[in-house]
Amino acid sequence: MSDELTSGLRELAAEGETLPALSGAEIRGRAVRRRRRRRTSVAVAGASAAVALALVVAVNLGGGHTEQRPAPAASPTGTPSLPATPDATVDLSRRVISVAGRELPLSSGSVWAPTGTGRMMVIAKEPAKVLPATEAGFKDAYDLKVPWVIEFSASDGTANYIAGLTYDEKAPGNYDRTTGWIGLRTADAKWLYAQLQLGSLIDIEGTAPSPVPTATAR
């Protein structure tokens, strides 16, 4: 019996099949067909594995995953910006403060003691406050009590205030005679005191238009 015929008989026996009454040539033919089917299956499996491996490599190299890269974080903008519209606007060059549709005349610091400009915030309110004479604008005098005091602060921490200019009611709107704070006529100061609250914003713009008149100096 040839080796090929013997191999075919062994394969049939291993698969548990009953040996048919076939000729040697038929047995050899059947064994050959089985070996071809096994080779084809192995080849197909190998090709499938190669294709799968190629897909994995392509995905890893080409970024084929659907997960998106997070968008870059927005650049910091620092502290939150304040509202664009202030509650009050001071125009030092015109000597007025504009609030709720009204313009109140004021007297500010002279060119030798200028009032600070910029955006300010109301941080305190007092019905009355005692000012040292030099702070009120006098060279030699007793301390002075002023009414309706609104204290405000700039972003750098510099503080100032608005109050009634009781000792010179003619100054607001006409000339500047304080040491930097903003003086109003007493009635206007009282009205403004009720209008502005803690946290209200005040924009101060411009510069004093002229020095303190000689006639009003004390």
Side-chain angles (χ1 to χ4, degrees):
M1 184 179 296
S2 66
D3 293 338
E4 187 175 356
L5 179 58
T6 300
S7 175
L9 291 173
R10 287 176 178 171
E11 290 178 2
L12 292 175
E15 294 175 1
E17 294 184 5
T18 303
L19 296 180
L22 299 174
S23 64
E26 291 175 336
I27 291 173
R28 285 192 296 273
R30 180 175 291 186
V32 169
R33 287 193 295 274
R34 287 172 185 248
R35 283 195 295 272
R36 287 176 179 172
R37 284 198 297 271
R38 283 197 297 270
R39 291 193 190 101
T40 301
S41 298
V42 172
V44 170
S48 299
V51 170
L53 179 60
L55 287 174
V56 170
V57 172
V59 167
N60 289 336
L61 293 179
H65 52 77
T66 57
E67 183 178 349
Q68 298 293 322
R69 177 176 297 183
S75 58
T77 58
T79 57
S81 59
L82 294 174
T85 304
D87 299 286
T89 302
V90 173
D91 187 342
L92 299 176
S93 61
R94 294 176 55 227
R95 296 193 182 100
V96 295
I97 177 170
S98 302
V99 183
R102 288 186 62 183
E103 286 192 346
L104 309 177
L106 63 84
S107 179
S108 67
S110 67
V111 292
W112 295 294
T115 299
T117 59
R119 174 153 291 190
M120 314 289 178
M121 178 181 290
V122 175
I123 59 173
K125 295 172 63 178
E126 297 180 64
K129 182 181 179 70
V130 176
L131 300 181
T134 54
E135 190 172 341
F138 301 127
K139 295 181 180 179
D140 297 301
Y142 294 104
D143 293 344
L144 183 69
K145 187 176 182 178
V146 294
W148 313 117
V149 180
I150 301 172
E151 185 175 356
F152 52 87
S153 176
S155 58
D156 62 359
T158 304
N160 205 342
Y161 53 90
I162 300 172
L165 195 62
T166 55
Y167 56 87
D168 193 348
E169 293 275 347
K170 295 181 180 180
N174 296 311
Y175 48 84
D176 303 302
R177 63 162 308 168
T178 76
T179 56
W181 57 282
I182 296 172
L184 305 178
R185 293 179 300 205
T186 304
D188 291 340
K190 182 179 180 180
W191 179 85
L192 184 64
Y193 188 90
Q195 291 293 316
L196 299 182
Q197 307 302 322
L198 296 181
S200 294
L201 300 177
I202 305 172
D203 278 358
I204 301 179
E205 307 167 347
T207 57
S210 62
V212 177
T214 306
T216 62
R218 296 181 59 178

